[in-house]
Amino acid sequence: MSAPDDLRSELAELARQARAWVEWVADSGVDELPRATEAPSAARQPVVEQPPVTAPSEDASPATQPPVAVAPRPPKQARAVTPKPAAPRRAAPSIDVPDTPAARAARLAELADEVSGCTKCGLHETRQNTVFGRGSPAAKLVFVSEGPGANEDAQGVPFVGKAGQLLDRMIAAMGYQRDEVYICNVVKCRPPRNRKPEPDEMAACLPYLHEQLALLEPQVIVCLGATGVEGLLGSSMGITRMRGTWKLYRGRIPLMPTFHPAYLLRQPEKKREVWDDLQQVMKRLGMDPKAKSQRSGEDGD
Ligand code: URA
């Protein structure tokens, strides 16, 4: 490609990013440009930004955090700082993670099929469809939310309603294509009237999510709202206190809690904080928010 072509495609990419950002803040009332990630808010991050500083609660009840051991695979890339594994405190049944990406993708599809016939909790009685997940089995970034709503139940796909459109804009503003990331929920069936899933429903469904994450082995997990953090880490702290602070899933995978897109639809001024959180995530993934072209060519593993 000639130099002018390079320049043109870089300008097109910058324009695409700017458009994604403008769409994301369109109704937020936020009128300033994003800060550089090198200057994180001192108020929220008084200590060091990396590596992740908060370990998951090991005291989580077995109902919300069943012990699972996953055979470690070599990291996909050396760029991200990999936190040291936490010493396991108890014997854990292991999830069998196939060696190859193709075999992991096949197991993911098989698991989705198993979930489609699941009757482990009462939620199956009122569902139209199970909602397993969407996105790339090779995703480095996985979003975990609470559970499907009415649109998702009708279509069998997560985040297809208004909150989903906002999430898609968040993903685009980060510089990702919609299907480059992976999106899933703690429970795979819609709780009636969109209520929070009950502890027994979460406990019944969580083994699916743990296996899903073991097969995906993302570099970063973003929890949208408190329920994802509660399911994965057993922490019941409010999302307002947790957001913006790194946690660890299974002692290894950095996890960033942030606000749920449905909350942002009601409180658009909170997008500013979510964008701060997502910038931390981009940085952790080795993406400089100011130079997204870095990322090209790195997605094929
Ligand atoms: N809200 C969620 O938590 N999950 C979805 O899939 C859709 C809306």
Side-chain angles (χ1 to χ4, degrees), residues 145-149 152 158-159 185 260:
S145 191
E146 180 173 289
E152 292 75 21
F159 279 101
N185 288 299
H260 192 288

Side-chain angles (χ1 to χ4, degrees), residues 131 144-150 152 157-161 163-164 183-187 224 260-262:
V131 179
V144 176
S145 191
E146 180 173 289
E152 292 75 21
V157 180
F159 279 101
V160 287
I183 303 168
C184 54
N185 288 299
V186 171
V187 293
L224 301 167
H260 192 288

Side-chain angles (χ1 to χ4, degrees), residues 207-271:
Y208 295 131
L209 179 59
H210 287 303
E211 183 167 356
Q212 227 170 348
L213 292 171
L215 293 164
L216 291 162
E217 200 175 5
Q219 286 182 9
V220 176
I221 296 168
V222 172
C223 280
L224 301 167
T227 306
V229 191
E230 193 181 324
L232 292 179
L233 305 185
S235 162
S236 52
M237 207 189 274
I239 190 67
T240 304
R241 281 188 64 195
M242 284 188 297
R243 66 142 283 274
T245 59
W246 286 108
K247 316 281 182 207
L248 281 179
Y249 170 66
R250 297 276 173 237
R252 296 184 295 127
I253 303 180
L255 182 155
M256 173 59 73
T258 195
F259 291 128
H260 192 288
Y263 175 70
L264 296 182
L265 291 173
R266 299 190 300 274
Q267 305 281 337
E269 71 281 0
K270 297 289 181 189
K271 287 180 182 176

Side-chain angles (χ1 to χ4, degrees), residues 1-239:
M1 193 188 278
S2 66
D5 279 349
D6 273 349
L7 194 60
R8 228 174 276 131
S9 60
E10 195 171 329
L11 282 172
E13 179 53 39
L14 282 171
R16 198 194 63 72
Q17 284 179 56
R19 186 192 187 96
W21 168 251
V22 168
E23 284 174 3
W24 155 238
V25 294
D27 58 350
S28 71
V30 173
D31 57 8
E32 45 175 321
L33 287 170
R35 281 193 304 271
T37 51
E38 288 77 4
S41 155
R44 287 208 63 84
Q45 292 181 297
V47 201
V48 284
E49 194 181 356
Q50 291 184 13
V53 290
T54 312
S57 163
E58 291 287 341
D59 302 326
S61 79
T64 56
Q65 194 175 12
V68 178
V70 179
R73 293 206 314 268
K76 287 179 188 166
Q77 292 190 14
R79 279 180 298 109
V81 178
T82 308
K84 284 190 185 146
R89 282 199 194 164
R90 54 198 165 199
S94 89
I95 293 175
D96 189 17
V97 178
D99 286 340
T100 66
R104 288 195 292 276
R107 174 61 197 144
L108 208 54
E110 202 176 84
L111 190 62
D113 199 45
E114 277 171 41
V115 165
S116 73
C118 179
T119 56
K120 286 185 186 165
C121 80
L123 293 182
H124 80 275
E125 288 165 12
T126 47
R127 75 175 177 228
Q128 288 184 53
N129 288 291
T130 54
V131 179
F132 183 70
R134 85 169 201 223
S136 166
K140 297 180 179 115
L141 175 59
V142 172
F143 292 88
V144 176
S145 191
E146 180 173 289
N151 293 306
E152 292 75 21
D153 180 47
Q155 296 184 40
V157 180
F159 279 101
V160 287
K162 274 197 169 160
Q165 287 161 18
L166 182 56
L167 179 59
D168 285 345
R169 291 206 291 277
M170 289 160 61
I171 291 165
M174 292 176 83
Y176 280 113
Q177 304 290 323
R178 189 180 190 268
D179 291 325
E180 252 181 304
V181 302
Y182 193 91
I183 303 168
C184 54
N185 288 299
V186 171
V187 293
K188 313 302 188 200
C189 298
R190 182 193 181 201
R193 298 174 308 284
N194 297 343
R195 63 161 168 75
K196 186 178 180 237
E198 299 291 349
D200 66 312
E201 294 160 352
M202 286 170 65
C205 218
L206 271 167
Y208 295 131
L209 179 59
H210 287 303
E211 183 167 356
Q212 227 170 348
L213 292 171
L215 293 164
L216 291 162
E217 200 175 5
Q219 286 182 9
V220 176
I221 296 168
V222 172
C223 280
L224 301 167
T227 306
V229 191
E230 193 181 324
L232 292 179
L233 305 185
S235 162
S236 52
M237 207 189 274
I239 190 67

